[in-house]
């Protein structure tokens, strides 16, 4: 089973890296398929490697979120937000399952990282509360979920798990600022979009490989 799994992983990496060429395209079916494919393939890889079901679920929910966010409009944005909210809850449950919170309190850097994650989430919500308008409560719920996921990742001994969670947190933070604070014509919007995909896909790859290694 490992050879097919390695092929699927390679295809996921190629699809994820090649998506940078698709980013400038307007919203449409081609971009939606290309954006959804990399993480969907990571989910299939995790399944083939007999990784924990919560990892597969988190990746499937993330791929669904990618499909929603490949299109414009508030309904698609809410669909993407909801999908990723559930993905973060699945990741948090996974980290709780494979980790031990005594690791969180046993090392100073882990406690500091947990505090920094909470501080970033609080600052982000405060910064976006007015621009988000009626979506502000949803932003609060999402920020709470991803901060909790980052904290729970610190209970896993493998540092790579927190690295993946931190990349995810930074990607979502930049995406939120891009969505609610940057006009379409903002000169930094293109750079923000590049960072969001790079950090997001890197996070999914790091988390997948780290959890598969732990489970094997």
């Amino acid at each position: 089973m490992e050879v097919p799994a390695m092929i699927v992983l390679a295809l996921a990496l190629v699809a994820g890296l090649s998506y940078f060429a698709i980013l400038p395209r307007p919203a449409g079916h081609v971009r939606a398929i290309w954006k959804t494919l990399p993480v969907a393939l990571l989910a299939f890889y995790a399944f083939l490697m007999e990784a924990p079901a919560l990892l597969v679920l988190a990746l499937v929910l993330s791929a669904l979120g990618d499909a929603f966010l490949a299109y414009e409009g508030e309904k698609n944005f809410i669909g993407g937000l909801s999908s990723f909210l559930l993905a973060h809850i699945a990741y948090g449950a996974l980290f709780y399952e494979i980790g031990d919170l005594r690791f969180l309190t046993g090392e100073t850097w882990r406690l500091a990282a947990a505090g920094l994650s909470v501080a970033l989430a609080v600052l982000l919500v405060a910064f976006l509360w007015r621009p988000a308008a009626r979506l502000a409560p949803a932003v609060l719920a999402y920020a709470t979920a991803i901060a909790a996921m980052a904290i729970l990742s610190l209970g896993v001994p493998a540092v790579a798990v927190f690295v993946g969670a931190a990349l995810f947190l930074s990607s979502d933070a930049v995406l939120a600022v891009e969505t609610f604070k940057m006009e379409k014509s903002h000169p930094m919007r293109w750079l923000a979009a590049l960072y969001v995909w790079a950090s997001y896909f890197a996070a999914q790859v790091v988390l997948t490989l780290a959890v598969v290694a732990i489970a094997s």
Side-chain angles (χ1 to χ4, degrees), residues 35-36 39-40 58-68 84 200 204:
K35 186 173 186 178
T36 306
V39 176
L59 290 167
V60 168
L61 287 167
S62 296
L64 181 61
D66 289 333
F68 276 116
F84 277 112
Y200 163 72
Q204 297 285 30

Side-chain angles (χ1 to χ4, degrees), residues 61-82:
L61 287 167
S62 296
L64 181 61
D66 289 333
F68 276 116
L69 294 180
Y71 297 97
E72 297 180 351
E74 186 174 302
K75 286 185 178 180
N76 287 311
F77 178 75
I78 293 174
L81 192 72
S82 301

